[in-house]
Amino acid sequence: MRLDKYLCECTAFSRREAGDCIRRGKVKVDGEVCRDPARKVEETVVRVELGEEVLSYQCFHYMVMNKPGGLITASEGRGEATVMTLLPSPVPKHLVPVGRLDKDTEGLLLFTDDGEMNHRLLSPARHVEKVYLVTPQHALSEEDLLRLREGVEIGDEKPTLPALAEMTAQGDLKLTIREGRFHQVKRMLEAVDNQVLHLKRIAFGPLKLDPALSPGQVRECTAEEVERLRHACHAAK
Ligand code: URA
């Protein structure tokens, strides 16, 4: 693989940033400064240093699913069908869902075996955005929307963080939250005396639910999606 590509895979650099960094002499290959972004390296054996840091290359998997209702988000179901049953075989050994959607929730679910990325995307300190389309039991008033935007008490130690809340032309609620508390959206709706009839996640961090994926379908993330994920989880807290 080219050295600039190797750098992109191991860091949050774009291809252009990686090229600049290499040309400026910041990168050593097997102990020697290399200024050629096109230099071919064997990723599993080469030693690449970026300044003081020794980079490590691992080949991870990233997949997105349009989760259908009726499956639980877990690696093992103990009798219940899980989202893992929809993954194409062979399933990479350590591939797990990033976070959880309730059994009846549909929509975007990311899977990876990149433990560091998984941890970073779920870290409460990072405030990765999740966008949900909610069909509420009854229409929300302007006051309900204001309360959701400001943060509501849902029975935890702290109220929810400020959220984005707006009604769509179809009468659904589009809710953007930056936390991932247990049953958070359902509890937020309860806090404004409402109920969730249907819940679908349409975005997770930099990823949007792919309209070409029908419920139950899965695909590998594109290189661009992986790069956006890397940026999101290397972004300042
Ligand atoms: N909030 C919920 O209540 N359920 C989900 O599945 C996701 C967010």
Side-chain angles (χ1 to χ4, degrees), residues 66-92:
N66 183 353
K67 178 191 176 294
L71 297 179
I72 63 165
T73 310
S75 306
E76 286 174 24
R78 298 204 180 88
E80 290 210 70
T82 76
V83 288
M84 305 306 280
T85 57
L86 297 179
L87 297 175
S89 356
V91 177

Side-chain angles (χ1 to χ4, degrees), residues 18-186:
D20 286 350
C21 184
I22 295 164
R23 277 186 288 271
R24 281 189 282 123
K26 302 241 164 135
V27 176
K28 281 188 191 161
V29 175
D30 293 331
E32 303 224 337
V33 172
C34 173
R35 292 174 188 270
D36 177 10
R39 159 92 177 262
K40 287 278 193 278
V41 294
E42 176 59 65
E43 57 269 17
T44 52
V45 291
V46 73
R47 178 186 163 92
V48 178
E49 290 161 78
L50 172 62
E52 302 290 291
E53 189 189 355
V54 180
L55 301 181
S56 80
Y57 180 87
Q58 274 172 294
C59 186
F60 292 120
H61 302 86
Y62 305 90
M63 292 182 147
V64 273
M65 174 185 290
N66 183 353
K67 178 191 176 294
L71 297 179
I72 63 165
T73 310
S75 306
E76 286 174 24
R78 298 204 180 88
E80 290 210 70
T82 76
V83 288
M84 305 306 280
T85 57
L86 297 179
L87 297 175
S89 356
V91 177
K93 198 160 165 223
H94 300 292
L95 196 80
V96 289
V98 178
R100 239 166 236 256
L101 290 176
D102 294 339
K103 185 171 176 180
D104 54 354
T105 302
E106 299 177 4
L108 176 50
L109 185 60
L110 172 69
F111 292 78
T112 187
D113 47 7
D114 179 343
E116 177 70 21
M117 177 182 285
N118 192 330
H119 174 76
R120 285 174 180 241
L121 289 171
L122 295 181
S123 158
R126 244 165 252 274
H127 299 315
V128 169
E129 281 190 351
K130 295 112 193 156
V131 187
Y132 293 92
L133 261 193
V134 184
T135 308
Q137 190 173 53
H138 52 85
L140 282 91
S141 65
E142 208 34 60
E143 192 196 324
D144 295 336
L145 292 176
L146 271 178
R147 288 183 58 206
L148 293 175
R149 286 177 195 141
E150 282 169 4
V152 282
E153 291 289 350
I154 58 171
D156 292 344
E157 221 172 276
K158 291 184 180 167
T160 55
L161 287 177
L164 297 177
E166 58 188 359
M167 298 307 291
T168 68
Q170 290 72 33
D172 287 333
L173 166 68
K174 186 174 168 195
L175 187 64
T176 305
I177 58 176
R178 293 177 291 138
E179 302 164 282
R181 304 193 205 172
F182 185 62
H183 295 328
Q184 179 161 348
V185 175
K186 291 174 184 161

